[in-house]
Amino acid sequence: MPHLELLHLTKSFGQTAAVRDFNITVERGEILSILGPSGCGKTTTLRMIAGLETPTSGKIHFDGKDITGLPARSRNIGLVFQNYALFPHLDVFENVAFGLRTRRVKPETAVEQRVRKALAGVRMESYERRAVHQLSGGQQQRIALARALAIEPDLLLLDEPLSNLDPALREDLRDQMRAIIRELDMTTVFVTHDQQEALSLADRIAIMESGVCRQIGSPDDVYSRPTDAFVARFLGKANVMPGEFVGLTNADLAVIRPENIRLGEGSRAGTVSKTAFEGAVVNYVVEADGQQLNVRQFHRGGPIYRVGDTVRYEIPQEGIHRIAK
Amino acid sequence: MFIGILVFAVLLIAVLYPNVFTFVGSFFPAGTFSLATYVHFFETPSAREALFNSLFISTATVILSAAIGIPLAFLLHRYDFRGRRILRALASAPVVLPPLVGVFSFVFLYGESGIISRSLQIALGLDRPWPRLTGVPGILFIHAYSMYVYFFMFTSAGLDRLDAAMEEAAETLGASTAGKLWRVTLPLLAPSFVGASLVTFMSSMASFSAPLIVSGGVRVLALEIFNSKLNGDIPMAMVETVILAGSSLAVLILLRWYEGRRKYSLTGKGVSVQRKPIRSGLAKVAAGLGGTVAVVFLILPHLMVFVMSFVREGTWTTQLIPPAYTTENYIKLFSDPSFFEPIRNSLWMSVLATGVNLAWGLMATFWLRRRTGWVRRVADILIVLPWALPGTVIAIAMVQSFSSFAGSVMLLPFLYFVRNIPIVVRAIDASFQQVDPSIEEAAVSLGATSAYTIRRVVLPLVMPGAIAGSLLAFISALGEFVSSIMVYVYSNRPISIEILSQLRQFNFGTASAYGFLLIILIAITLLVGERLHGPVRDPLVP
């Protein structure tokens, strides 16, 4: 039996549909990421799972039971808010203990034990009596995670867990979070607009756009085998070309990953119209046959093409992924 | 440097000197040091009673105002229902009612022979009219009406800043509706409640009009000071002044200390809580009914003043409703020079005081904003002192310390100026805080001199807020009563004093015409301010 099931989930605000007919099943212990640009309905979906929004139609099943009408406080779901929503009037310990106190966990030693365990899980043991405003962004994020985990939730939800952190810290915390979540073996749904985050943390990714789920699959699936042009363009800026550009019929579209194009050799020729050097890689835009191609090359000390250079290139057959138009 | 001297000269002469003079003077009743007057105060049962009554009434006012203001703020913030906007707009109606005008209007409505009291007597078949608006309950009734606004405003501002995610987080952690309220929302609003309690308590300690008119023999400190002075017992008046000021300041310091301990801020990030429509039929009826009663109750005093201002003098005796109406009260106000004089007096004194407030406030803020250390701290305390002290206290201090100026028409506008220093400086200061320092730096980097920067960049940005604050000062000077009654001379008697004297001659129509004129002037001033600046709010209240 799937652990969590969304069935034809739809949410409208007035005339606008934020989420339309979303269907997905999540297995026990699985980490699902909902990925999409801002305003695509991913946070609304998460809030419906948490019970903070009521679906306009559709069902949410948990362990086979319909929980669509169940209030948030009865769901036993841990939610980590985008801005963490730590209670500023309570210290770290009382923040983490909050969910235990609402559950009337007794005696106090049991509360202490569970809070300490949750804090140990996020490696923040020595911060119990700190005020939350004394913590850094990364520390607040981990306390928010500990607070959600202390209630021993059946399901963990994360809303843009790393978006409020600066980029250097983000990578560090992404690795820590992966370790923590994997260790727990807990069913997790997290929402993000950052594809690196989704690709590196999730078992499966659901890609949303304008309230509609475009594709669900493993990170490799959605990256290498997108089923539509939006997904292809959204992940890694793939080139989506008319079929005949690479010798297919025009009934199809050809998806070509920028890193799969070889520059400097081959049967095709184009003109470089943009060069951006990033250190390990160089990104080019090459104009050929009236099309613009994004090209991404590892920089191994060879020449860097300049704008206006004519360049030969090759698109290997295995680098072309065909999708229906 | 010159500006600095001027700023401090005013603070020392106008704020510090009178209060120190009164404080020290209270220990020298006959020219030599003696605690005799203090001993006498605490040995006199009626004096002790006045102190106790003041403290009791103020505490009860805080509780009553909280009980009305907090739920109303929640209702208007969290729920949507028919008439919500009207109720929201009228919730601050008591603000445009000058203290004395509000009190006599309440007497016409809820007093012994008030319209509402007698209507209730007839409707419910009572032996006597009810309510009779007298004594402590009468004072509390008036206080609750005029001071719940503080709790309403503080709570509304707190709710605006409250991040909806706080309550949602509590909900996902299993908190029930009551649990969310008790363990998250109310604790987060605690600083707002403390702020509101502070303002309410101090206003209530200072309250003079309500006890003056409806006390029915109940003694309160603010009134005792006035009576002592009237009886020529100046040493006692000074001691009572020191005790009233001392208890107000003690509560101020206590609450500020408590406020400082809970040091966290509502960040104001995130989304505000969505307003819920009231759906269930019964709740709809209750909200509609309650809302209507509230709206009527809020606006009734204004309406009463309006109606009374058209009542022909001497015709309303035993009838339930005044029988004869006329416009001659207003005609008299503007055609008879002796009736117009108070209006002219109030206007010129308020304009003068406010103008000086604005000019001095700008100077002080400009000069102080770059200062740190003890100069700044001393100035800050002196600037806020007139706000922390009851009007009676400031008036007595002024009268005693500037006794050589007694009888001068300039003493009253000077008093208005002193009382409004805090409002105007705070407004200008708040306006300054909005100006990004880098804007000034940008002007300087473009080659502007500092005088040019101030004139062309800073002043234009600060001015709207400064003017809005000055308008508030103007309003409070216009309706000022508490200090006026101690300092006025016949030739500069302001509107509020004339209202009192008309009431004492039973010229209710004329008094009401003056009162309604004040309401209109205040409303117009607020509208002008809103045009200039957006909603005009007391900078000392959120």
Side-chain angles (χ1 to χ4, degrees), chain B residues 272-340:
Chain B
S272 176
V273 179
Q274 285 275 322
R275 239 191 278 329
K276 280 189 222 115
I278 293 183
R279 289 229 177 72
S280 100
L282 199 66
K284 255 185 184 164
V285 172
L289 211 66
T292 312
V293 170
V295 165
V296 169
F297 179 70
L298 283 166
I299 202 70
L300 214 48
H302 307 68
L303 279 179
M304 190 66 213
V305 178
F306 179 71
V307 170
M308 280 300 292
S309 69
F310 290 101
V311 171
R312 191 183 294 275
E313 297 296 16
T315 56
W316 191 28
T317 49
T318 55
Q319 304 86 337
L320 180 61
I321 290 168
Y325 296 89
T326 169
T327 55
E328 71 186 21
N329 297 328
Y330 285 99
I331 294 170
K332 190 169 63 182
L333 243 51
F334 289 99
S335 59
D336 185 335
S338 69
F339 281 93
F340 186 70

Side-chain angles (χ1 to χ4, degrees), chain A residues 47 50-52 71-73 77 79 81 83 85-90 94-95 98-103 133 147-148 151 164, chain B residues 163-177 179-180 183-185 187-188 262-266 269-271:
Chain A
R47 289 170 59 84
L52 296 173
R73 68 187 145 89
I77 287 176
L79 172 59
F81 286 76
N83 62 0
L86 294 175
F87 304 125
H89 62 299
L90 303 176
E94 284 303 323
N95 261 283
F98 191 94
L100 304 174
R101 304 216 186 276
T102 64
R103 284 167 172 71
H133 66 82
R147 184 176 70 176
I151 61 172
N164 266 359
Chain B
D163 185 353
M166 289 295 154
E167 291 187 9
E168 288 174 355
E171 202 176 332
T172 63
L173 292 167
S176 60
T177 309
K180 273 191 294 186
R183 310 217 18 227
V184 175
T185 314
L188 285 175
R262 324 177 112 257
K263 222 179 164 106
Y264 54 83
S265 57
L266 300 172
K269 267 192 189 169
V271 204

Side-chain angles (χ1 to χ4, degrees), chain B residues 74-96:
Chain B
F74 266 88
L75 179 72
L76 288 172
H77 198 270
R78 293 292 168 88
Y79 296 99
D80 216 352
F81 50 92
R82 191 189 281 266
R84 192 187 76 83
R85 283 162 172 279
I86 301 175
L87 191 55
R88 176 75 189 80
L90 287 182
S92 30
V95 173
V96 299

Side-chain angles (χ1 to χ4, degrees), chain A residues 177-192:
Chain A
M177 280 239 315
R178 178 168 35 215
I180 293 166
I181 298 172
R182 290 285 168 200
E183 211 170 284
L184 290 168
D185 194 27
M186 182 174 289
T187 314
T188 303
V189 178
F190 76 97
V191 148
T192 180

